[in-house]
Amino acid sequence: MDENKDKITEELTENEALTEDTQNAEQVAEELTEEAAQVEEAVAETAEETAEAAAETADNAEEAVDGAAEEVTETAEDTAEAVTDEAALSEIEAPKKKPMLQKTIVISLIIVCLAAVAAVVIGLFFNNDVTGTWHLVRQVEVSGEAATSDEAGNKLNVDYYFTFNKDGSVTSTIGTVTGKGTYTMSKDENGNNVINMNMYDTLTQYFLNGDYTVEYSGNIFTGKKMKFTMADNAERNYEFESASYKAPELKREGEFEKNDELVGKWVYSTGEFNLIYEFKEDGTAAYTEQAMTINPYTYTPINVDIEMRGIYSVKDSTVTISYYFLEQSDKDITVKADGDVLYINNYPFIREGAATPDQLQQAQTVAAQQ
């Protein structure tokens, strides 16, 4: 019995020891769990700090790279400017390396350009040349029958348009009638501009022939003007204004009907004069007289060259040419077509380029016998 008691006591003692060991083991496990949690938290914090440090390091590295790139770019630009400045300085400091001929050419080109610009400016703003179209109003005497109510003292203001060309030719136009002539420019002993007019056109009636001193004034803003003065004749002084010619409008009665037999340019030519009619498909016409005559004032030969432009209509054997002189007027001619010959008022006009001199002579002989 005592042995059983002792045995039971011993087992109880062992159980208590096991219980204590179990408790100790559980306490150790709890302590290990806390330490593991602390370690895990420390590891997490360390990892986060390491990541932040790495990100900051990357940002700093990127900023450093950008800064370095900008610094390199600025350095390159500064270097390029320094090289350019140095090159320019070298050119300035060493002019002997450029040939003098090149400088002379450059200076010459600059002078030429400046002169051209100056000429253009002077030509646009100031008048110093006769070339161009000029308007002249001149009073001419008219008969009592021809005068209208607004023509005081049987005088009529006539609008002339003179066009001076650079080749020395000049035209005078009233309405749609134009006379042609020539002119020359020179200087007198005082350095004044002098123009010599030589023309006959039945329009000017010789009034503009002779030598005139020419004066220019005005500009594009106030209007360009030109004055002709004849030293020994105070009455022959004329004032012109720069202008543009515009032909007056011609009015037609009814519709135009084309006549194919008439269309073309027709010429009657002798050794002394040429007469030319031209009829176009659109109903316009022109008549030209070319002849040699004597100037009644200077007794020198001059060329007559007059052109009358207008419109035409055909009725039976009559052609009516309408033109404008002081007013719209008509010129009637009779016509008869025979191939390349057109008889106008019984004179044989040959189609331009269609007849030989012998054919023309034969046609003229036939016309003279009629």
Side-chain angles (χ1 to χ4, degrees):
M1 182 123 180
D2 292 333
E3 291 177 1
N4 290 333
K5 182 179 180 180
D6 292 337
K7 187 176 180 179
I8 293 170
T9 302
E10 183 179 355
E11 288 178 356
L12 291 173
T13 301
E14 289 177 356
N15 288 337
E16 290 176 356
L18 288 173
T19 301
E20 183 177 359
D21 291 340
T22 300
Q23 292 176 351
N24 291 334
E26 289 176 353
Q27 183 176 0
V28 170
E30 290 177 356
E31 291 176 354
L32 290 175
T33 301
E34 290 179 358
E35 289 180 358
Q38 292 176 358
V39 169
E40 183 178 358
E41 184 177 358
V43 170
E45 290 178 355
T46 302
E48 185 176 358
E49 292 175 355
T50 302
E52 291 177 354
E56 183 176 0
T57 301
D59 292 338
N60 293 337
E62 185 177 357
E63 292 177 358
V65 170
D66 293 340
E70 292 178 357
E71 184 176 356
V72 169
T73 301
E74 292 176 356
T75 302
E77 291 177 351
D78 294 340
T79 303
E81 291 178 357
V83 170
T84 303
D85 293 341
E86 183 177 357
L89 183 60
S90 298
E91 291 181 357
I92 297 174
E93 293 177 350
K96 294 182 180 180
K97 293 183 180 180
K98 285 194 173 183
M100 293 300 294
L101 180 60
Q102 184 178 358
K103 285 187 175 181
T104 303
I105 293 174
V106 172
I107 293 173
S108 300
L109 290 175
I110 292 174
I111 293 174
V112 170
C113 291
L114 291 176
V117 172
V120 171
V121 171
I122 292 174
L124 288 175
F125 292 93
F126 302 98
N127 175 48
N128 59 356
D129 191 3
V130 70
T131 57
T133 300
W134 301 87
H135 177 220
L136 171 67
V137 179
R138 179 172 177 258
Q139 279 194 339
V140 296
E141 293 185 0
V142 295
S143 63
E145 295 81 7
T148 60
S149 59
D150 59 347
E151 297 165 5
N154 292 336
K155 287 188 176 182
L156 176 66
N157 289 331
V158 179
D159 291 303
Y160 293 81
Y161 289 89
F162 289 88
T163 298
F164 296 86
N165 302 306
K166 290 186 179 295
D167 62 358
S169 62
V170 57
T171 61
S172 170
T173 300
I174 299 176
T176 62
V177 182
T178 296
K180 301 177 183 179
T182 60
Y183 75 97
T184 56
M185 297 295 300
S186 61
K187 297 280 188 180
D188 64 12
E189 57 186 8
N190 298 320
N192 298 317
N193 293 309
V194 175
I195 188 170
N196 176 264
M197 299 288 294
N198 188 9
M199 63 188 306
Y200 170 77
D201 54 14
T202 70
L203 310 181
T204 61
Q205 298 293 329
Y206 303 102
F207 80 85
L208 208 54
N209 285 299
D211 293 330
Y212 294 86
T213 299
V214 186
E215 298 177 83
Y216 307 103
S217 61
N219 52 57
I220 60 174
F221 302 108
T222 62
K224 296 181 179 182
K225 297 182 180 180
M226 178 174 65
K227 184 176 182 180
F228 283 9
T229 304
M230 182 170 282
D232 57 352
N233 191 337
E235 294 183 357
R236 296 182 67 179
N237 297 333
Y238 307 104
E239 295 184 355
F240 304 78
E241 292 185 352
S242 180
S244 297
Y245 166 76
K246 183 178 181 180
E249 182 180 359
L250 295 170
K251 298 180 180 179
R252 180 192 298 278
E253 293 184 2
E255 296 293 330
F256 170 70
E257 295 183 5
K258 185 181 68 169
N259 185 321
D260 291 331
E261 291 183 323
L262 288 179
V263 173
K265 183 178 287 188
W266 307 92
V267 181
Y268 182 84
S269 181
T270 69
E272 297 179 353
F273 60 88
N274 298 318
L275 304 179
I276 304 171
Y277 282 92
E278 183 175 13
F279 302 102
K280 296 185 178 181
E281 292 185 349
D282 62 359
T284 59
Y287 168 69
T288 302
E289 289 184 11
Q290 298 171 336
M292 180 70 70
T293 188
I294 300 297
N295 188 324
Y297 296 96
T298 62
Y299 301 102
T300 57
I302 56 176
N303 290 318
V304 177
D305 196 341
I306 303 170
E307 181 183 42
M308 180 181 72
R309 301 172 303 282
I311 57 177
Y312 73 98
S313 59
V314 184
K315 184 177 182 180
D316 298 329
S317 61
T318 300
V319 174
T320 300
I321 301 175
S322 299
Y323 63 98
Y324 198 102
F325 190 56
L326 300 179
E327 60 184 2
Q328 182 165 327
S329 304
D330 294 332
K331 174 183 174 68
D332 290 334
I333 58 175
T334 61
V335 298
K336 179 183 178 181
D338 185 11
D340 289 330
V341 179
L342 181 67
Y343 291 91
I344 300 178
N345 294 337
N346 293 326
Y347 287 92
F349 285 73
I350 308 302
R351 187 186 301 274
E352 187 179 52
T356 65
D358 291 341
Q359 291 173 324
L360 179 59
Q361 181 62 43
Q362 182 180 359
Q364 291 173 349
T365 301
V366 172
Q369 294 173 352
Q370 293 179 348

